[in-house]
Amino acid sequence: MDRKFILAVAQVGGIQPQESRHDVVARLVAMLEQAVAAGAKFVVFPELTLTTFFPRYWSDKISGHDQYFEREMPNEAVNPLFKAALSHGVGFYLGYAELTSDGHRYNTSILVDSTGRIVGKYRKIHLPGHADNLKELKAQHLEKRYFEVGDLGFGVFDVDGVRFGMCLCNDRRWPEVYRMLSLQSADVVVLGYNTPLDVPGWQEEPHMKMSTHLLSLAAGAYQNAVWVAAAGKSGTEDGTYMVGGSAIASPAGEIVSKVIGDGDEVAFAQIDLDYSEPFRQSVFNFAAHRRPEHYGLLVERVGRGEPLPIPKSAGLT
Ligand code: CDV
């Protein structure tokens, strides 16, 4: 890819539990072709793209939803997407549920380059929701039950000459994620998401679900001088509304492109990797201004705790 290229985010409208992967993949291919027609070189698809957002359903056995997991990637159902991308010479990001040959379940995403090779893999680290059965609720959020915490860390990968970092959904709300990726010189952070309007234990005004989503993308982009592109599932899935707003944020912290609806829709932005440079040379010149010797608490402490002791040299009694 050149220093300037067109990036697309392909939002996927609600997928019902009975919909087949073949039908979903046909929708993805149609959007990939729209993106190609607009000149895109890379397309971002959502988290758990291939099926309905199954962590809303309880199962007594962890394996009770294994029909929603992929045992290999690519596979017969997803091949048309790989083939279409290869024939057009575009790369893509895809999220899916992964069941490994030794029985581990992860919420996973991959990066595929323009030659159809999988060049990057990420397993979701910030798993939201709960593991217990809140059976009074129609839609639960059981990611903590069905997935293990990812074991691959936050990697940055070369895709056709551009450094891509990736994460998944809830990760986008955590500043540590973007900083981990930007310290490895990521140029673009891509992510997929599923954000139900109602999440057990998460009280927010409905409109805040959209504004906190966009705020997270813009803040991550600005504070790390990276481009951030996010594609969601949206619309109604089995009676549960999923927030849309698939968007691209620039290193200036602006949302420069965003879908307008909550169905299948592609949004585009002209990415200029050189646009990050003035930010990287000035206010966010990490090498010049970061002070890791004062950030120890970030890795020592997980939850909120007591204030740190004030050094004696402050002269306070
Ligand atoms: N799939 C997600 O990770 N969703 C979370 C919330 C809504 C549970 C999110 O941060 O969007």
Side-chain angles (χ1 to χ4, degrees), residues 15-48:
I15 299 173
Q16 308 315 317
Q18 67 279 7
E19 274 186 65
S20 73
R21 285 173 176 72
H22 286 96
D23 290 349
V24 174
V25 169
R27 288 163 61 186
L28 305 185
V29 169
M31 286 198 282
L32 183 119
E33 276 164 1
Q34 269 181 50
V36 167
K41 291 285 177 225
F42 192 90
V43 185
V44 184
F45 293 106
E47 173 192 45
L48 302 174

Side-chain angles (χ1 to χ4, degrees), residues 47 53 124 128 141 143 169-170 172-173 194-196 199 202:
E47 173 192 45
F53 186 72
K124 187 173 179 180
H141 201 104
E143 286 194 61
C169 196
N170 191 256
R172 74 195 187 284
R173 304 183 193 273
N194 282 269
T195 300
V199 180
W202 187 329

Side-chain angles (χ1 to χ4, degrees), residues 92-246:
F92 64 94
Y93 162 106
L94 180 76
Y96 62 98
E98 177 188 15
L99 178 53
T100 67
S101 53
D102 54 351
H104 295 282
R105 293 176 184 78
Y106 297 106
N107 187 341
T108 295
S109 60
I110 49 169
L111 292 167
V112 180
D113 74 8
S114 62
T115 71
R117 216 161 50 92
I118 298 176
V119 292
K121 184 182 252 194
Y122 170 70
R123 292 174 173 150
K124 187 173 179 180
I125 288 178
H126 295 98
L127 295 173
H130 52 100
D132 49 332
N133 188 6
L134 305 177
K135 44 174 165 276
E136 68 284 3
L137 300 179
K138 180 175 179 298
Q140 306 196 40
H141 201 104
L142 290 155
E143 286 194 61
K144 277 189 164 32
R145 176 165 174 78
Y146 297 120
F147 301 120
E148 291 175 48
V149 172
D151 61 347
L152 302 177
F154 295 102
V156 169
F157 306 91
D158 185 305
V159 184
D160 298 321
V162 175
R163 285 187 180 148
F164 277 74
M166 56 180 157
C167 64
L168 276 158
C169 196
N170 191 256
D171 289 319
R172 74 195 187 284
R173 304 183 193 273
W174 298 90
E176 295 87 346
V177 173
Y178 302 95
R179 191 50 56 89
M180 284 296 296
L181 296 172
S182 58
L183 280 170
Q184 299 170 71
S185 305
D187 287 315
V188 185
V189 174
V190 287
L191 64 105
Y193 62 94
N194 282 269
T195 300
L197 196 53
D198 295 310
V199 180
W202 187 329
Q203 300 299 319
E204 244 176 358
E205 296 280 322
H207 73 278
M208 296 298 291
K209 278 270 168 17
M210 178 64 82
S211 67
T212 55
H213 153 64
L214 295 174
L215 177 69
S216 300
L217 305 184
Y222 173 63
Q223 294 172 341
N224 296 281
V226 289
W227 291 87
V228 176
K233 280 227 240 100
S234 185
T236 303
E237 283 201 343
D238 198 17
T240 298
Y241 190 76
M242 318 287 283
V243 175
S246 299

